[in-house]
mmCIF file of all heavy atoms in Angstrom:
data_model
loop_
_atom_site.group_PDB
_atom_site.id
_atom_site.type_symbol
_atom_site.label_atom_id
_atom_site.label_comp_id
_atom_site.label_asym_id
_atom_site.label_seq_id
_atom_site.Cartn_x
_atom_site.Cartn_y
_atom_site.Cartn_z
ATOM 1 N N GLU A 1 0.836 -1.204 0.000
ATOM 2 C CA GLU A 1 0.000 0.000 0.000
ATOM 3 C C GLU A 1 0.865 1.247 0.000
ATOM 4 O O GLU A 1 2.054 1.198 0.312
ATOM 5 C CB GLU A 1 -0.920 0.011 1.219
ATOM 6 C CG GLU A 1 -0.184 -0.017 2.530
ATOM 7 C CD GLU A 1 -1.096 -0.188 3.736
ATOM 8 O OE1 GLU A 1 -2.130 -0.860 3.628
ATOM 9 O OE2 GLU A 1 -0.743 0.357 4.796
ATOM 10 N N GLY A 2 0.246 2.354 -0.349
ATOM 11 C CA GLY A 2 0.896 3.656 -0.277
ATOM 12 C C GLY A 2 2.036 3.855 -1.252
ATOM 13 O O GLY A 2 2.939 4.649 -1.001
ATOM 14 N N ALA A 3 2.013 3.172 -2.380
ATOM 15 C CA ALA A 3 3.126 3.257 -3.330
ATOM 16 C C ALA A 3 3.249 4.657 -3.930
ATOM 17 O O ALA A 3 2.258 5.273 -4.307
ATOM 18 C CB ALA A 3 2.964 2.227 -4.437
ATOM 19 N N GLN A 4 4.486 5.125 -3.982
ATOM 20 C CA GLN A 4 4.832 6.392 -4.619
ATOM 21 C C GLN A 4 5.969 6.105 -5.595
ATOM 22 O O GLN A 4 6.886 5.355 -5.255
ATOM 23 C CB GLN A 4 5.301 7.411 -3.588
ATOM 24 C CG GLN A 4 4.273 7.738 -2.535
ATOM 25 C CD GLN A 4 4.849 8.632 -1.453
ATOM 26 O OE1 GLN A 4 5.672 9.481 -1.705
ATOM 27 N NE2 GLN A 4 4.397 8.429 -0.232
ATOM 28 N N ALA A 5 5.914 6.698 -6.771
ATOM 29 C CA ALA A 5 6.895 6.397 -7.807
ATOM 30 C C ALA A 5 7.587 7.654 -8.311
ATOM 31 O O ALA A 5 6.974 8.719 -8.409
ATOM 32 C CB ALA A 5 6.220 5.692 -8.981
ATOM 33 N N TRP A 6 8.878 7.496 -8.611
ATOM 34 C CA TRP A 6 9.677 8.537 -9.230
ATOM 35 C C TRP A 6 10.563 7.885 -10.282
ATOM 36 O O TRP A 6 10.999 6.749 -10.125
ATOM 37 C CB TRP A 6 10.605 9.223 -8.218
ATOM 38 C CG TRP A 6 9.890 9.950 -7.137
ATOM 39 C CD1 TRP A 6 9.536 11.271 -7.114
ATOM 40 C CD2 TRP A 6 9.454 9.419 -5.883
ATOM 41 N NE1 TRP A 6 8.910 11.582 -5.930
ATOM 42 C CE2 TRP A 6 8.847 10.462 -5.154
ATOM 43 C CE3 TRP A 6 9.515 8.150 -5.293
ATOM 44 C CZ2 TRP A 6 8.299 10.282 -3.885
ATOM 45 C CZ3 TRP A 6 8.962 7.966 -4.038
ATOM 46 C CH2 TRP A 6 8.371 9.033 -3.357
ATOM 47 N N ILE A 7 10.844 8.630 -11.331
ATOM 48 C CA ILE A 7 11.777 8.169 -12.360
ATOM 49 C C ILE A 7 12.810 9.251 -12.552
ATOM 50 O O ILE A 7 12.472 10.412 -12.800
ATOM 51 C CB ILE A 7 11.057 7.872 -13.691
ATOM 52 C CG1 ILE A 7 10.010 6.765 -13.488
ATOM 53 C CG2 ILE A 7 12.069 7.477 -14.767
ATOM 54 C CD1 ILE A 7 9.112 6.550 -14.682
ATOM 55 N N ARG A 8 14.073 8.871 -12.427
ATOM 56 C CA ARG A 8 15.186 9.796 -12.616
ATOM 57 C C ARG A 8 16.313 9.083 -13.355
ATOM 58 O O ARG A 8 16.765 8.025 -12.917
ATOM 59 C CB ARG A 8 15.738 10.308 -11.280
ATOM 60 C CG ARG A 8 14.758 11.081 -10.415
ATOM 61 C CD ARG A 8 14.429 12.453 -11.028
ATOM 62 N NE ARG A 8 13.544 13.220 -10.178
ATOM 63 C CZ ARG A 8 12.222 13.137 -10.171
ATOM 64 N NH1 ARG A 8 11.606 12.304 -10.972
ATOM 65 N NH2 ARG A 8 11.495 13.894 -9.374
ATOM 66 N N GLU A 9 16.737 9.673 -14.459
ATOM 67 C CA GLU A 9 17.882 9.174 -15.221
ATOM 68 C C GLU A 9 17.805 7.673 -15.481
ATOM 69 O O GLU A 9 18.765 6.931 -15.299
ATOM 70 C CB GLU A 9 19.184 9.539 -14.505
ATOM 71 C CG GLU A 9 19.353 11.045 -14.374
ATOM 72 C CD GLU A 9 20.643 11.447 -13.684
ATOM 73 O OE1 GLU A 9 21.578 10.641 -13.635
ATOM 74 O OE2 GLU A 9 20.686 12.596 -13.205
ATOM 75 N N GLY A 10 16.622 7.212 -15.893
ATOM 76 C CA GLY A 10 16.443 5.819 -16.281
ATOM 77 C C GLY A 10 16.226 4.840 -15.142
ATOM 78 O O GLY A 10 16.104 3.638 -15.385
ATOM 79 N N VAL A 11 16.180 5.330 -13.919
ATOM 80 C CA VAL A 11 15.941 4.462 -12.765
ATOM 81 C C VAL A 11 14.578 4.798 -12.181
ATOM 82 O O VAL A 11 14.248 5.963 -11.960
ATOM 83 C CB VAL A 11 17.039 4.636 -11.690
ATOM 84 C CG1 VAL A 11 16.703 3.857 -10.425
ATOM 85 C CG2 VAL A 11 18.391 4.205 -12.234
ATOM 86 N N GLY A 12 13.784 3.767 -11.943
ATOM 87 C CA GLY A 12 12.489 3.932 -11.312
ATOM 88 C C GLY A 12 12.586 3.573 -9.844
ATOM 89 O O GLY A 12 13.135 2.526 -9.493
ATOM 90 N N LEU A 13 12.078 4.438 -9.002
ATOM 91 C CA LEU A 13 12.081 4.220 -7.552
ATOM 92 C C LEU A 13 10.635 4.157 -7.084
ATOM 93 O O LEU A 13 9.840 5.036 -7.394
ATOM 94 C CB LEU A 13 12.796 5.365 -6.835
ATOM 95 C CG LEU A 13 12.589 5.474 -5.322
ATOM 96 C CD1 LEU A 13 13.166 4.273 -4.597
ATOM 97 C CD2 LEU A 13 13.210 6.764 -4.804
ATOM 98 N N VAL A 14 10.301 3.095 -6.338
ATOM 99 C CA VAL A 14 8.993 2.986 -5.717
ATOM 100 C C VAL A 14 9.202 2.786 -4.226
ATOM 101 O O VAL A 14 9.927 1.883 -3.809
ATOM 102 C CB VAL A 14 8.154 1.826 -6.297
ATOM 103 C CG1 VAL A 14 6.820 1.707 -5.555
ATOM 104 C CG2 VAL A 14 7.921 2.013 -7.790
ATOM 105 N N LEU A 15 8.579 3.655 -3.438
ATOM 106 C CA LEU A 15 8.542 3.515 -1.987
ATOM 107 C C LEU A 15 7.129 3.089 -1.626
ATOM 108 O O LEU A 15 6.159 3.621 -2.177
ATOM 109 C CB LEU A 15 8.861 4.832 -1.292
ATOM 110 C CG LEU A 15 10.227 5.442 -1.579
ATOM 111 C CD1 LEU A 15 10.363 6.775 -0.861
ATOM 112 C CD2 LEU A 15 11.332 4.492 -1.173
ATOM 113 N N CYS A 16 7.015 2.116 -0.718
ATOM 114 C CA CYS A 16 5.693 1.657 -0.310
ATOM 115 C C CYS A 16 5.779 0.995 1.056
ATOM 116 O O CYS A 16 6.864 0.848 1.617
ATOM 117 C CB CYS A 16 5.102 0.692 -1.337
ATOM 118 S SG CYS A 16 6.041 -0.823 -1.586
ATOM 119 N N ARG A 17 4.614 0.641 1.580
ATOM 120 C CA ARG A 17 4.534 -0.132 2.812
ATOM 121 C C ARG A 17 4.125 -1.550 2.461
ATOM 122 O O ARG A 17 3.292 -1.762 1.574
ATOM 123 C CB ARG A 17 3.491 0.467 3.766
ATOM 124 C CG ARG A 17 3.918 1.754 4.410
ATOM 125 C CD ARG A 17 2.855 2.281 5.378
ATOM 126 N NE ARG A 17 1.531 2.432 4.769
ATOM 127 C CZ ARG A 17 1.168 3.462 4.018
ATOM 128 N NH1 ARG A 17 2.019 4.441 3.764
ATOM 129 N NH2 ARG A 17 -0.046 3.533 3.506
ATOM 130 N N GLU A 18 4.698 -2.501 3.166
ATOM 131 C CA GLU A 18 4.285 -3.890 3.087
ATOM 132 C C GLU A 18 3.578 -4.196 4.406
ATOM 133 O O GLU A 18 4.156 -4.036 5.474
ATOM 134 C CB GLU A 18 5.489 -4.816 2.915
ATOM 135 C CG GLU A 18 6.256 -4.570 1.652
ATOM 136 C CD GLU A 18 7.489 -5.450 1.509
ATOM 137 O OE1 GLU A 18 7.855 -6.178 2.460
ATOM 138 O OE2 GLU A 18 8.105 -5.397 0.425
ATOM 139 N N ARG A 19 2.321 -4.598 4.309
ATOM 140 C CA ARG A 19 1.546 -4.878 5.518
ATOM 141 C C ARG A 19 1.445 -6.388 5.686
ATOM 142 O O ARG A 19 0.985 -7.095 4.806
ATOM 143 C CB ARG A 19 0.167 -4.256 5.424
ATOM 144 C CG ARG A 19 -0.569 -4.334 6.744
ATOM 145 C CD ARG A 19 -1.741 -3.396 6.813
ATOM 146 N NE ARG A 19 -1.433 -1.995 6.689
ATOM 147 C CZ ARG A 19 -1.051 -1.199 7.703
ATOM 148 N NH1 ARG A 19 -0.868 -1.696 8.899
ATOM 149 N NH2 ARG A 19 -0.844 0.087 7.488
ATOM 150 N N LEU A 20 1.923 -6.857 6.851
ATOM 151 C CA LEU A 20 1.861 -8.269 7.217
ATOM 152 C C LEU A 20 1.046 -8.381 8.497
ATOM 153 O O LEU A 20 0.837 -7.381 9.192
ATOM 154 C CB LEU A 20 3.265 -8.820 7.480
ATOM 155 C CG LEU A 20 4.225 -8.737 6.310
ATOM 156 C CD1 LEU A 20 5.234 -7.646 6.537
ATOM 157 C CD2 LEU A 20 4.912 -10.057 6.148
ATOM 158 N N ALA A 21 0.646 -9.596 8.846
ATOM 159 C CA ALA A 21 -0.130 -9.803 10.066
ATOM 160 C C ALA A 21 0.625 -9.285 11.288
ATOM 161 O O ALA A 21 0.030 -8.743 12.206
ATOM 162 C CB ALA A 21 -0.464 -11.276 10.232
ATOM 163 N N GLY A 22 1.945 -9.409 11.300
ATOM 164 C CA GLY A 22 2.736 -9.017 12.455
ATOM 165 C C GLY A 22 3.233 -7.585 12.465
ATOM 166 O O GLY A 22 3.912 -7.177 13.397
ATOM 167 N N GLY A 23 2.922 -6.806 11.448
ATOM 168 C CA GLY A 23 3.403 -5.435 11.440
ATOM 169 C C GLY A 23 3.518 -4.853 10.050
ATOM 170 O O GLY A 23 2.967 -5.370 9.090
ATOM 171 N N VAL A 24 4.312 -3.792 9.974
ATOM 172 C CA VAL A 24 4.464 -3.044 8.728
ATOM 173 C C VAL A 24 5.946 -2.933 8.394
ATOM 174 O O VAL A 24 6.779 -2.697 9.268
ATOM 175 C CB VAL A 24 3.850 -1.628 8.870
ATOM 176 C CG1 VAL A 24 4.042 -0.825 7.598
ATOM 177 C CG2 VAL A 24 2.381 -1.717 9.228
ATOM 178 N N LEU A 25 6.259 -3.112 7.117
ATOM 179 C CA LEU A 25 7.611 -2.917 6.608
ATOM 180 C C LEU A 25 7.595 -1.745 5.642
ATOM 181 O O LEU A 25 6.609 -1.532 4.931
ATOM 182 C CB LEU A 25 8.105 -4.164 5.870
ATOM 183 C CG LEU A 25 8.091 -5.489 6.630
ATOM 184 C CD1 LEU A 25 8.486 -6.625 5.705
ATOM 185 C CD2 LEU A 25 8.999 -5.434 7.832
ATOM 186 N N ALA A 26 8.671 -0.992 5.614
ATOM 187 C CA ALA A 26 8.867 0.024 4.583
ATOM 188 C C ALA A 26 9.718 -0.638 3.500
ATOM 189 O O ALA A 26 10.684 -1.348 3.810
ATOM 190 C CB ALA A 26 9.581 1.241 5.146
ATOM 191 N N ALA A 27 9.351 -0.438 2.254
ATOM 192 C CA ALA A 27 10.090 -1.069 1.156
ATOM 193 C C ALA A 27 10.558 -0.027 0.153
ATOM 194 O O ALA A 27 9.855 0.938 -0.143
ATOM 195 C CB ALA A 27 9.214 -2.095 0.443
ATOM 196 N N THR A 28 11.759 -0.251 -0.332
ATOM 197 C CA THR A 28 12.338 0.523 -1.413
ATOM 198 C C THR A 28 12.576 -0.447 -2.561
ATOM 199 O O THR A 28 13.296 -1.438 -2.395
ATOM 200 C CB THR A 28 13.680 1.151 -0.990
ATOM 201 O OG1 THR A 28 13.473 1.930 0.176
ATOM 202 C CG2 THR A 28 14.263 1.998 -2.092
ATOM 203 N N ASN A 29 11.960 -0.188 -3.699
ATOM 204 C CA ASN A 29 12.108 -1.030 -4.881
ATOM 205 C C ASN A 29 12.656 -0.185 -6.022
ATOM 206 O O ASN A 29 12.078 0.834 -6.374
ATOM 207 C CB ASN A 29 10.757 -1.641 -5.273
ATOM 208 C CG ASN A 29 10.212 -2.539 -4.183
ATOM 209 O OD1 ASN A 29 10.936 -3.316 -3.581
ATOM 210 N ND2 ASN A 29 8.921 -2.425 -3.916
ATOM 211 N N LEU A 30 13.780 -0.616 -6.558
ATOM 212 C CA LEU A 30 14.408 0.087 -7.671
ATOM 213 C C LEU A 30 14.246 -0.736 -8.943
ATOM 214 O O LEU A 30 14.471 -1.952 -8.940
ATOM 215 C CB LEU A 30 15.894 0.321 -7.396
ATOM 216 C CG LEU A 30 16.202 1.218 -6.199
ATOM 217 C CD1 LEU A 30 17.713 1.257 -5.957
ATOM 218 C CD2 LEU A 30 15.659 2.610 -6.417
ATOM 219 N N PHE A 31 13.887 -0.058 -10.019
ATOM 220 C CA PHE A 31 13.627 -0.696 -11.302
ATOM 221 C C PHE A 31 14.455 -0.025 -12.390
ATOM 222 O O PHE A 31 14.821 1.143 -12.279
ATOM 223 C CB PHE A 31 12.144 -0.520 -11.685
ATOM 224 C CG PHE A 31 11.173 -1.193 -10.775
ATOM 225 C CD1 PHE A 31 10.795 -0.605 -9.572
ATOM 226 C CD2 PHE A 31 10.587 -2.394 -11.138
ATOM 227 C CE1 PHE A 31 9.868 -1.204 -8.733
ATOM 228 C CE2 PHE A 31 9.653 -3.004 -10.307
ATOM 229 C CZ PHE A 31 9.295 -2.413 -9.108
ATOM 230 N N ARG A 32 14.687 -0.777 -13.447
ATOM 231 C CA ARG A 32 15.243 -0.203 -14.674
ATOM 232 C C ARG A 32 14.547 -0.885 -15.845
ATOM 233 O O ARG A 32 13.963 -1.955 -15.704
ATOM 234 C CB ARG A 32 16.765 -0.380 -14.728
ATOM 235 C CG ARG A 32 17.245 -1.791 -14.822
ATOM 236 C CD ARG A 32 18.783 -1.841 -14.919
ATOM 237 N NE ARG A 32 19.231 -3.208 -14.913
ATOM 238 C CZ ARG A 32 20.021 -3.752 -14.000
ATOM 239 N NH1 ARG A 32 20.467 -3.027 -13.004
ATOM 240 N NH2 ARG A 32 20.375 -5.017 -14.084
ATOM 241 N N GLN A 33 14.617 -0.226 -16.988
ATOM 242 C CA GLN A 33 14.005 -0.778 -18.190
ATOM 243 C C GLN A 33 14.856 -1.937 -18.700
ATOM 244 O O GLN A 33 16.074 -1.823 -18.820
ATOM 245 C CB GLN A 33 13.904 0.295 -19.265
ATOM 246 C CG GLN A 33 12.875 1.354 -18.985
ATOM 247 C CD GLN A 33 11.472 0.916 -19.376
ATOM 248 O OE1 GLN A 33 11.280 0.033 -20.196
ATOM 249 N NE2 GLN A 33 10.491 1.546 -18.772
ATOM 250 N N GLU A 34 14.194 -3.044 -18.975
ATOM 251 C CA GLU A 34 14.865 -4.199 -19.565
ATOM 252 C C GLU A 34 13.844 -4.897 -20.456
ATOM 253 O O GLU A 34 12.732 -5.177 -20.009
ATOM 254 C CB GLU A 34 15.378 -5.140 -18.474
ATOM 255 C CG GLU A 34 16.202 -6.293 -19.018
ATOM 256 C CD GLU A 34 16.687 -7.220 -17.920
ATOM 257 O OE1 GLU A 34 15.930 -8.146 -17.548
ATOM 258 O OE2 GLU A 34 17.791 -6.997 -17.415
ATOM 259 N N ALA A 35 14.200 -5.134 -21.682
ATOM 260 C CA ALA A 35 13.300 -5.776 -22.653
ATOM 261 C C ALA A 35 11.972 -5.033 -22.745
ATOM 262 O O ALA A 35 10.901 -5.633 -22.827
ATOM 263 C CB ALA A 35 13.097 -7.249 -22.309
ATOM 264 N N GLY A 36 12.044 -3.679 -22.691
ATOM 265 C CA GLY A 36 10.867 -2.859 -22.891
ATOM 266 C C GLY A 36 9.919 -2.747 -21.719
ATOM 267 O O GLY A 36 8.796 -2.262 -21.884
ATOM 268 N N ARG A 37 10.351 -3.192 -20.531
ATOM 269 C CA ARG A 37 9.476 -3.061 -19.360
ATOM 270 C C ARG A 37 10.296 -2.803 -18.107
ATOM 271 O O ARG A 37 11.494 -3.064 -18.068
ATOM 272 C CB ARG A 37 8.599 -4.285 -19.185
ATOM 273 C CG ARG A 37 9.375 -5.578 -19.016
ATOM 274 C CD ARG A 37 8.470 -6.758 -18.881
ATOM 275 N NE ARG A 37 8.118 -6.931 -17.481
ATOM 276 C CZ ARG A 37 7.782 -8.073 -16.936
ATOM 277 N NH1 ARG A 37 7.696 -9.147 -17.678
ATOM 278 N NH2 ARG A 37 7.499 -8.158 -15.672
ATOM 279 N N TRP A 38 9.632 -2.261 -17.096
ATOM 280 C CA TRP A 38 10.289 -2.012 -15.823
ATOM 281 C C TRP A 38 10.466 -3.325 -15.067
ATOM 282 O O TRP A 38 9.506 -4.088 -14.916
ATOM 283 C CB TRP A 38 9.464 -1.046 -14.968
ATOM 284 C CG TRP A 38 9.447 0.346 -15.494
ATOM 285 C CD1 TRP A 38 8.423 0.955 -16.152
ATOM 286 C CD2 TRP A 38 10.497 1.315 -15.390
ATOM 287 N NE1 TRP A 38 8.779 2.250 -16.485
ATOM 288 C CE2 TRP A 38 10.048 2.494 -16.021
ATOM 289 C CE3 TRP A 38 11.774 1.305 -14.839
ATOM 290 C CZ2 TRP A 38 10.820 3.642 -16.109
ATOM 291 C CZ3 TRP A 38 12.547 2.438 -14.915
ATOM 292 C CH2 TRP A 38 12.082 3.591 -15.548
ATOM 293 N N ARG A 39 11.715 -3.582 -14.632
ATOM 294 C CA ARG A 39 12.015 -4.784 -13.844
ATOM 295 C C ARG A 39 12.868 -4.390 -12.650
ATOM 296 O O ARG A 39 13.707 -3.484 -12.732
ATOM 297 C CB ARG A 39 12.766 -5.816 -14.685
ATOM 298 C CG ARG A 39 11.947 -6.409 -15.802
ATOM 299 C CD ARG A 39 12.785 -7.430 -16.565
ATOM 300 N NE ARG A 39 12.168 -7.802 -17.803
ATOM 301 C CZ ARG A 39 11.617 -8.994 -18.038
ATOM 302 N NH1 ARG A 39 11.605 -9.904 -17.102
ATOM 303 N NH2 ARG A 39 11.082 -9.255 -19.203
ATOM 304 N N LEU A 40 12.663 -5.108 -11.561
ATOM 305 C CA LEU A 40 13.419 -4.862 -10.332
ATOM 306 C C LEU A 40 14.898 -5.171 -10.488
ATOM 307 O O LEU A 40 15.269 -6.159 -11.125
ATOM 308 C CB LEU A 40 12.906 -5.769 -9.210
ATOM 309 C CG LEU A 40 11.680 -5.325 -8.450
ATOM 310 C CD1 LEU A 40 11.073 -6.511 -7.719
ATOM 311 C CD2 LEU A 40 12.043 -4.240 -7.463
ATOM 312 N N PHE A 41 15.724 -4.330 -9.869
ATOM 313 C CA PHE A 41 17.125 -4.696 -9.700
ATOM 314 C C PHE A 41 17.551 -4.548 -8.242
ATOM 315 O O PHE A 41 18.645 -4.957 -7.857
ATOM 316 C CB PHE A 41 18.063 -3.931 -10.646
ATOM 317 C CG PHE A 41 18.255 -2.469 -10.341
ATOM 318 C CD1 PHE A 41 19.289 -2.046 -9.514
ATOM 319 C CD2 PHE A 41 17.418 -1.519 -10.901
ATOM 320 C CE1 PHE A 41 19.474 -0.701 -9.251
ATOM 321 C CE2 PHE A 41 17.604 -0.175 -10.644
ATOM 322 C CZ PHE A 41 18.632 0.238 -9.813
ATOM 323 N N HIS A 42 16.656 -4.000 -7.410
ATOM 324 C CA HIS A 42 16.950 -3.865 -5.981
ATOM 325 C C HIS A 42 15.648 -3.836 -5.191
ATOM 326 O O HIS A 42 14.720 -3.105 -5.549
ATOM 327 C CB HIS A 42 17.737 -2.582 -5.714
ATOM 328 C CG HIS A 42 17.966 -2.307 -4.260
ATOM 329 N ND1 HIS A 42 18.979 -2.881 -3.554
ATOM 330 C CD2 HIS A 42 17.289 -1.535 -3.382
ATOM 331 C CE1 HIS A 42 18.943 -2.460 -2.294
ATOM 332 N NE2 HIS A 42 17.905 -1.640 -2.163
ATOM 333 N N HIS A 43 15.586 -4.635 -4.140
ATOM 334 C CA HIS A 43 14.448 -4.626 -3.213
ATOM 335 C C HIS A 43 15.009 -4.619 -1.802
ATOM 336 O O HIS A 43 15.922 -5.383 -1.480
ATOM 337 C CB HIS A 43 13.573 -5.869 -3.413
ATOM 338 C CG HIS A 43 12.571 -6.077 -2.318
ATOM 339 N ND1 HIS A 43 11.458 -5.288 -2.175
ATOM 340 C CD2 HIS A 43 12.529 -6.980 -1.311
ATOM 341 C CE1 HIS A 43 10.765 -5.710 -1.118
ATOM 342 N NE2 HIS A 43 11.401 -6.733 -0.574
ATOM 343 N N HIS A 44 14.478 -3.734 -0.965
ATOM 344 C CA HIS A 44 14.882 -3.663 0.437
ATOM 345 C C HIS A 44 13.640 -3.410 1.266
ATOM 346 O O HIS A 44 12.920 -2.449 1.028
ATOM 347 C CB HIS A 44 15.901 -2.545 0.645
ATOM 348 C CG HIS A 44 16.354 -2.385 2.058
ATOM 349 N ND1 HIS A 44 16.982 -1.260 2.493
ATOM 350 C CD2 HIS A 44 16.266 -3.193 3.140
ATOM 351 C CE1 HIS A 44 17.277 -1.382 3.781
ATOM 352 N NE2 HIS A 44 16.836 -2.546 4.192
ATOM 353 N N ALA A 45 13.387 -4.277 2.244
ATOM 354 C CA ALA A 45 12.255 -4.103 3.153
ATOM 355 C C ALA A 45 12.770 -4.176 4.583
ATOM 356 O O ALA A 45 13.620 -5.001 4.906
ATOM 357 C CB ALA A 45 11.207 -5.183 2.909
#
């Protein structure tokens, strides 16, 4: 939930919350274009 997206110099950044039964995680997901679509290259929760 709460995803926010930014694109800078070919890198896509998404910040969001991951909600689990035991609590909440903050996640940073970094994407780049590969084969014509956005794909993850970094995930941190």
Side-chain angles (χ1 to χ4, degrees):
E1 60 188 33
Q4 300 174 35
W6 296 267
I7 299 171
R8 299 290 183 274
E9 299 181 20
V11 173
L13 165 65
V14 177
L15 300 178
C16 62
R17 287 182 305 280
E18 298 177 352
R19 189 163 299 275
L20 300 106
V24 178
L25 304 175
T28 304
N29 298 318
L30 297 175
F31 296 81
R32 65 178 176 241
Q33 289 278 338
E34 186 181 86
R37 59 181 272 207
W38 290 104
R39 293 180 193 251
L40 277 162
F41 71 91
H42 175 83
H43 168 73
H44 179 197

